[in-house]
């Protein structure tokens, strides 16, 4: 894993990210704004649930597809 490899956003995890969790907090973000967390396979469900129960989760997309869509 290089210094440029995206890593999982779960606390203490250093595993390469595979998923992008797009979210926003409607109390502080405009509806079109998307913040992102990255997730490895192991933490995707946990992080998705954390955001989902708060009503923040908007989309879960594979990292390679997210990069294609954003032109990165």
């Amino acid at each position: 894993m290089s210094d440029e490899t995206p890593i999982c956003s779960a606390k203490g995890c250093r595993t390469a990210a595979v998923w992008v969790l797009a979210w926003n907090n409607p109390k502080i973000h405009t509806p079109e704004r998307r913040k992102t967390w990255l997730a490895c396979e192991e933490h995707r469900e946990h992080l998705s649930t954390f955001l989902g129960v708060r009503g923040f989760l908007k989309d879960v997309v594979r990292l390679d597809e997210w990069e294609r869509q954003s032109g990165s």
Side-chain angles (χ1 to χ4, degrees):
M1 192 161 49
S2 76
D3 289 339
E4 296 178 15
T5 301
I7 61 165
C8 181
S9 298
K11 185 175 182 176
C13 185
R14 305 302 298 163
T15 304
V18 180
W19 297 95
V20 174
L21 286 64
W23 63 278
N24 84 5
N25 179 339
K27 290 183 180 178
I28 60 175
H29 300 126
T30 59
E32 67 279 352
R33 170 98 188 259
R34 291 295 180 267
K35 302 210 31 116
T36 58
W37 281 357
L38 302 177
C40 64
E41 288 291 349
E42 180 181 351
H43 292 112
R44 181 185 60 86
E45 186 174 338
H46 170 75
L47 293 173
S48 294
T49 299
F50 180 89
L51 292 168
V53 298
R54 290 159 178 78
F56 295 173
L57 187 63
K58 301 301 177 190
D59 205 3
V60 178
V61 180
R62 289 195 60 86
L63 178 59
D64 55 354
E65 180 161 333
W66 181 269
E67 289 173 337
R68 278 194 304 274
Q69 290 175 358
S70 68
S72 298

